[in-house]
Amino acid sequence: MLKPKLKVISVAHQKGGVAKTTTVCNLAVELSKLFNVTVLDLDPQKHTTKFNNRRDQPYKMKDIKNDKELISHLQNDDDLTIIDLGGYDSSLARTALLLTDLVITPLCDSSYELDGLVDFNKIINKIVEKQPGIKCKVLINRVHHADKITYANIKAWTDKDSNHFDIYQTVIPSNSKYKLMLSEGKSITELTSGTPAIIFNKLVNEIIEDIKG
Ligand SMILES: Nc1ncnc2c1ncn2[C@@H]1O[C@H](COP(=O)(O)OP(=O)(O)O)[C@@H](O)[C@H]1O
Ligand SMILES: [Mg+2]
């Protein structure tokens, strides 16, 4: 197993339905092939946990009930920790962000997405004051193939110096396999070796570069 330089990844956005859980589940499966991974499901809806319960080969998870348990895990565990932060702004979520090295914020294709990101950036700016080293990256997800406008708009926003976010080059297209995977307990690469899996692996390679530092 490789030793990660960057130890805590949070998939986070205060907005629901943007593919946080989908991203965590797929990343957990792929990154567990290379690193010792522990997944924390901080969303009360527990969709990441339910997905894992459906798996033949579950990834490693740890149940976290409060800030104390969270801090103890993040400070003492050598694994690469991937956190589904849920779609809310709670004390537990803020504590997790303060101990996070890389925030991945998925966005979906809609004209309201930039508004949501601007709001989330305000929370991130407060975190950055206390933890200047934190990396934050937008992941564009569930877009139609031909859509270059969403990426260009969000990229223009992330390019401004005042914003703390960078952006992944890989864009995840809308595909019905992503709906199927959650109910089947299979990752996108386990469901298909076609285009959706190839594209997701491109994203994984970008994230591995971040993890290697
Ligand atoms: N690339 C995609 N294409 C099509 N549907 C997707 C894609 N990514 C996620 N979805 C679907 O979008 C919905 C919301 O995803 P989910 O991961 O539960 O979001 P969140 O955790 O942010 O609330 C789910 O039904 C999921 O199957
Ligand atoms: Mg979720």
Side-chain angles (χ1 to χ4, degrees):
M1 287 287 156
L2 298 173
K3 223 175 154 43
K5 272 210 180 131
L6 173 159
K7 277 190 37 205
V8 186
I9 299 176
S10 286
V11 181
H13 194 342
Q14 88 273 31
K15 211 160 167 273
V18 292
K20 292 183 294 295
T21 297
T22 305
T23 305
V24 168
C25 297
N26 280 312
L27 281 182
V29 172
E30 295 311 317
L31 294 177
S32 292
K33 295 172 186 168
L34 298 171
F35 303 95
N36 290 315
V37 168
T38 299
V39 176
L40 309 183
D41 187 0
L42 300 189
D43 189 335
Q45 292 187 319
K46 298 286 174 208
H47 286 151
T48 291
T49 309
K50 287 172 192 162
F51 171 83
N52 202 34
N53 290 343
R54 290 189 195 104
R55 289 183 59 70
D56 297 333
Q57 287 178 300
Y59 40 75
K60 188 166 142 202
M61 293 195 74
K62 195 165 186 175
D63 193 24
I64 297 287
K65 291 184 206 70
N66 52 46
D67 285 38
K68 203 172 153 214
E69 286 182 6
L70 179 66
I71 292 166
S72 164
H73 169 78
L74 294 181
Q75 288 182 341
N76 299 318
D77 201 286
D78 277 340
D79 281 6
L80 173 66
T81 298
I82 305 175
I83 307 178
D84 185 341
L85 214 65
Y88 64 106
D89 177 27
S90 67
S91 147
L92 196 58
R94 284 186 185 230
T95 303
L97 281 178
L98 281 172
L99 294 165
T100 291
D101 301 307
L102 170 65
V103 179
I104 299 175
T105 299
L107 295 185
C108 292
D109 173 20
S110 103
S111 51
Y112 302 114
E113 291 302 305
L114 200 46
D115 290 344
L117 184 59
V118 169
D119 286 344
F120 190 52
N121 190 54
K122 288 178 193 156
I123 295 174
I124 291 295
N125 279 339
K126 288 195 185 130
I127 302 289
V128 173
E129 281 171 21
K130 293 182 183 150
Q131 202 208 337
I134 194 169
K135 265 185 152 183
C136 301
K137 286 199 169 178
V138 172
L139 166 63
I140 311 256
N141 184 73
R142 212 165 73 195
V143 293
H144 292 290
H145 258 311
D147 182 10
K148 300 254 185 309
I149 296 169
T150 303
Y151 186 89
N153 280 345
I154 307 280
K155 173 90 172 70
W157 182 85
T158 58
D159 281 348
K160 289 184 192 162
D161 287 344
S162 53
N163 300 327
H164 201 71
F165 278 91
D166 203 345
I167 189 166
Y168 284 111
Q169 275 181 345
T170 309
V171 170
I172 310 285
S174 179
N175 189 291
S176 56
K177 289 257 176 356
Y178 277 96
K179 266 207 160 57
L180 191 65
M181 54 158 280
L182 291 179
S183 56
E184 298 272 308
K186 289 196 165 75
S187 75
I188 199 71
T189 57
E190 291 164 338
L191 269 184
T192 174
S193 56
T195 309
I198 293 166
I199 294 175
F200 194 81
N201 277 327
K202 276 192 188 157
L203 172 69
V204 172
N205 286 335
E206 281 196 73
I207 294 173
I208 289 171
E209 288 306 309
D210 288 334
I211 295 170
K212 284 186 185 161

